[in-house]
């Protein structure tokens, strides 16, 4: 997503990330892992909300369309610049 923003010549001023609801029951299972093998468990599955403050000369609709086409992106929205960004 960040690469797509910069490819379209938008600068990213701020980024926020918030973990949403988990998919399924939220439990993690490690399958086919040897007891002696030290590895980190996979990250929990679920949705996250990525909030960005971007600036650019092109219409924001170009960026919204490009991000919407990325696999795994569920929804893309826009908030007017008058809204506070934490």
């Amino acid at each position: 997503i960040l690469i797509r923003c910069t490819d379209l010549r938008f600068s990213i001023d701020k980024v926020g990330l918030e973990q949403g609801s988990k998919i399924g029951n939220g439990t993690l299972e490690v399958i086919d892992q040897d007891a002696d093998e030290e590895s980190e468990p996979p990250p929990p599955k679920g949705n996250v909300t990525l909030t960005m403050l971007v600036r650019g000369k092109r219409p924001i609709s170009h960026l919204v369309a490009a991000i919407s086409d990325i696999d795994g992106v569920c929804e893309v929205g826009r908030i007017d610049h008058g809204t506070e960004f934490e």
Side-chain angles (χ1 to χ4, degrees), residues 4 6 19 30 51 72:
R4 187 71 53 96
T6 56
Q19 187 168 358
V30 179
T51 307

Short mmCIF file of all heavy atoms in Angstrom, two decimals, residues 4 6 19 30 51 72:
data_model
loop_
_atom_site.label_atom_id
_atom_site.label_comp_id
_atom_site.label_asym_id
_atom_site.label_seq_id
_atom_site.Cartn_x
_atom_site.Cartn_y
_atom_site.Cartn_z
N ARG A 4 2.48 1.68 -3.36
CA ARG A 4 1.52 2.17 -4.35
C ARG A 4 1.31 3.66 -4.19
O ARG A 4 1.22 4.39 -5.17
CB ARG A 4 0.20 1.40 -4.18
CG ARG A 4 -0.85 1.66 -5.23
CD ARG A 4 -0.54 1.08 -6.60
NE ARG A 4 -0.22 -0.31 -6.60
CZ ARG A 4 -1.08 -1.31 -6.85
NH1 ARG A 4 -2.32 -1.05 -7.12
NH2 ARG A 4 -0.66 -2.56 -6.84
N THR A 6 3.45 5.92 -3.04
CA THR A 6 4.60 6.67 -3.54
C THR A 6 4.76 6.51 -5.05
O THR A 6 5.21 7.44 -5.72
CB THR A 6 5.90 6.26 -2.81
OG1 THR A 6 6.09 4.85 -2.94
CG2 THR A 6 5.82 6.63 -1.34
N GLN A 19 -5.58 -2.70 15.01
CA GLN A 19 -6.00 -4.08 14.78
C GLN A 19 -7.50 -4.19 14.99
O GLN A 19 -8.04 -3.70 15.98
CB GLN A 19 -5.27 -5.04 15.70
CG GLN A 19 -5.57 -6.48 15.37
CD GLN A 19 -4.64 -7.44 16.08
OE1 GLN A 19 -3.75 -7.03 16.81
NE2 GLN A 19 -4.86 -8.70 15.87
N VAL A 30 0.13 -24.14 15.56
CA VAL A 30 1.34 -24.40 14.80
C VAL A 30 1.28 -25.85 14.37
O VAL A 30 1.21 -26.75 15.20
CB VAL A 30 2.60 -24.12 15.64
CG1 VAL A 30 3.85 -24.41 14.82
CG2 VAL A 30 2.59 -22.68 16.12
N THR A 51 -4.61 3.86 8.52
CA THR A 51 -5.02 5.24 8.29
C THR A 51 -3.79 6.03 7.86
O THR A 51 -2.74 5.92 8.49
CB THR A 51 -5.59 5.86 9.59
OG1 THR A 51 -6.61 5.01 10.08
CG2 THR A 51 -6.15 7.23 9.33
N GLY A 72 -6.25 -8.42 -0.80
CA GLY A 72 -6.29 -8.36 0.66
C GLY A 72 -6.89 -7.08 1.21
O GLY A 72 -7.19 -7.01 2.40
#
